[in-house]
């Protein structure tokens, strides 16, 4: 799809939302044969990088809220891909590890991971890739600062209060 010239003048939040939406659409299609959602994929990959993580750590490293991570982890447990075990060093914490079926699925997903990384960076010179990462890191730092300011002040705009 060719983007219109208005794309170049769109607001940064609009562009980021559009990119995220399109990335999820592509991911859903590529993950469908595995019976996984993009969020399930993210949690499985996080566990493959470091097994034995608590749900709070998994939520943080995948940018999910804790209730969403808990719900998805339960689904992965029900499918026999993930095991929950009590943390021997912390009485109330549960650690999540991959079951053998989860490890096999993660191994079969390496092609997907490479497809997404290479596909999204196709045609971008290395310098542009590095610059894009740097710019997006700055945007994320700004968002983290904005969130911390809201938390610190204890006030949120009325439209965002629950």
């Amino acid at each position: 799809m060719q983007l219109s010239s208005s794309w170049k003048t769109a607001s940064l939040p609009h562009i980021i939302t559009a990119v995220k939406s399109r990335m999820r659409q592509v991911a859903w299609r590529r993950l469908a044969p595995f019976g996984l959602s993009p969020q399930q994929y993210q949690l499985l990959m996080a566990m493959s990088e470091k097994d034995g993580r608590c749900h709070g750590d998994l939520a943080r490293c995948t940018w999910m809220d804790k209730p969403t991570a808990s719900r998805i982890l339960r689904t992965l447990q029900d499918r026999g891909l993930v095991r929950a075990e009590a943390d021997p060093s912390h009485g109330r914490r549960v650690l999540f590890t991959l079951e053998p079926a989860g490890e096999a699925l993660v191994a079969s997903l390496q092609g997907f991971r490479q497809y997404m990384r290479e596909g999204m960076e196709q045609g971008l010179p290395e310098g542009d890739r590095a610059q894009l990462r740097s710019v997006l890191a700055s945007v994320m730092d700004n968002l983290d600062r904005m969130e911390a300011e809201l938390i610190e002040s204890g006030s949120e705009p009325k439209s965002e209060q629950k």
Side-chain angles (χ1 to χ4, degrees):
M1 177 176 126
Q2 188 67 24
L3 298 173
S4 68
S5 60
S6 65
W7 183 257
K8 294 179 181 177
T9 59
S11 70
L12 189 56
H14 179 78
I15 292 169
I16 291 172
T17 299
V19 169
K20 179 183 177 191
S21 178
R22 180 56 53 87
M23 184 174 66
R24 288 178 65 84
Q25 291 168 358
V26 171
W28 268 106
R29 282 194 183 98
R30 288 291 293 211
L31 291 169
F34 299 99
L36 290 175
S37 71
Q39 290 176 310
Q40 291 170 337
Y41 165 80
Q42 286 178 297
L43 285 170
L44 287 171
M45 296 313 286
M47 281 184 271
S48 75
E49 291 165 3
K50 181 182 175 193
D51 223 4
R53 294 173 121 165
C54 68
H55 101 280
D57 182 38
L58 287 165
R60 267 188 306 282
C61 78
T62 56
W63 300 97
M64 290 181 204
D65 58 57
K66 287 182 181 181
T68 299
S70 292
R71 186 182 73 252
I72 294 169
L73 286 165
R74 169 57 59 195
T75 299
L76 294 172
Q77 282 179 272
D78 292 347
R79 289 183 57 189
L81 301 172
V82 171
R83 177 178 61 252
E85 299 174 325
D87 183 344
S89 65
H90 189 286
R92 294 175 40 197
R93 184 178 304 155
V94 174
L95 302 178
F96 292 89
T97 58
L98 292 173
E99 291 281 16
E103 290 172 356
L105 181 56
V106 164
S108 67
L109 289 167
Q110 294 305 318
F112 169 77
R113 181 178 246 186
Q114 184 174 348
Y115 169 81
M116 290 298 290
R117 287 180 177 173
E118 290 177 2
M120 289 182 66
E121 294 182 1
Q122 184 176 350
L124 292 175
E126 186 54 45
D128 289 354
R129 293 175 191 191
Q131 183 178 10
L132 180 58
R133 284 183 180 89
S134 176
V135 168
L136 291 174
S138 294
V139 169
M140 186 59 87
D141 288 345
N142 289 337
L143 290 167
D144 287 345
R145 176 190 45 78
M146 291 164 64
E147 182 178 35
E149 288 170 356
L150 284 171
I151 292 169
E152 217 174 84
S153 71
S155 65
E156 295 181 25
K158 290 189 186 322
S159 64
E160 294 179 13
Q161 290 180 347
K162 295 179 181 172

